[in-house]
Amino acid sequence: FGGRCVADYAKSVEVDAVDWTNAVAEFNRLEEIRTRAVEGGLRPQKIRHTIQDAFYAAHEPGYDGERLQACITELERIKTEDLPKMVVTNKTRVFNIEWKQAIENYNILTIAEATARAGLMREETRETHYRTDFPEADDTNWKCNVVAKLVDGQMAVEKVPIVTL
């Protein structure tokens, strides 16, 4: 029933021209990952473990700014050196787990970097965020959200006030 309602609604709505530019660019990016050929390529599983090792080394219980900075440095290295060398040996499009892992590696790296940068910026301890170099909560400076976003192609973090409804 729900599908029919959606179909009826779709027939009744006028649609503007669709700009497929971003969709085509994303399709091309994913195809490049699947078909990439690099001498001495690295498998997606190897890169996944490298990302995890860098992240977990910095995020053990009770971490500090030095470990977070080391994590960010290693994640940046992985982004510039390892990801471009990542190759998928299975070139099919159907049920290709290795290709899926390769795509996920880009996303996992982004999330890991955002988490590490936000943790480095937040110079206090709050709930599960425990900084040994800043062991106390600091409501005056840090009762806020820390937001990560892309600015001019680079990840940036900023403090944003908490909005209560």
Side-chain angles (χ1 to χ4, degrees), residues 13-165:
V13 175
E14 288 189 34
V15 178
D16 295 332
V18 175
D19 179 3
W20 293 98
T21 306
N22 291 338
V24 169
E26 181 63 5
F27 176 83
N28 290 338
R29 184 185 78 87
L30 298 177
E31 280 297 294
E32 190 280 325
I33 292 169
R34 183 181 63 83
T35 60
R36 183 181 299 158
V38 177
E39 180 95 17
L42 300 170
R43 302 286 298 278
Q45 304 91 309
K46 169 74 173 144
I47 292 175
R48 173 81 51 95
H49 290 292
T50 306
I51 294 168
Q52 290 170 333
D53 289 346
F55 188 80
Y56 295 148
H59 288 86
E60 294 172 349
Y63 45 91
D64 60 32
E66 187 176 311
R67 288 188 357 209
L68 289 166
Q69 185 56 59
C71 173
I72 292 166
T73 300
E74 176 62 2
L75 294 173
E76 288 173 341
R77 187 203 65 75
I78 294 166
K79 189 186 326 181
T80 59
E81 295 177 20
D82 291 354
L83 282 182
K85 294 178 188 174
M86 184 170 56
V87 294
V88 175
T89 57
N90 178 357
K91 302 297 184 186
T92 66
R93 289 187 178 147
V94 179
F95 199 69
N96 189 335
I97 299 298
E98 192 177 39
W99 184 27
K100 178 179 144 304
Q101 282 184 329
I103 294 165
E104 288 173 345
N105 281 348
Y106 286 89
N107 301 329
I108 290 169
L109 185 66
T110 299
I111 297 300
E113 182 183 357
T115 303
R117 287 186 184 281
L120 182 62
M121 180 186 194
R122 185 177 284 278
E123 295 179 336
E124 67 154 357
T125 289
R126 183 171 299 272
E127 298 173 7
T128 60
H129 174 74
Y130 179 67
R131 291 274 305 258
T132 57
D133 47 352
F134 297 96
E136 301 297 323
D138 178 359
D139 286 352
T140 303
N141 294 305
W142 293 106
K143 193 160 189 176
C144 63
N145 292 311
V146 177
V147 175
K149 61 183 177 181
L150 205 57
V151 176
D152 298 326
Q154 298 294 314
M155 184 172 298
V157 289
E158 66 182 7
K159 294 191 321 184
V160 175
I162 296 172
V163 177
T164 56
L165 302 175

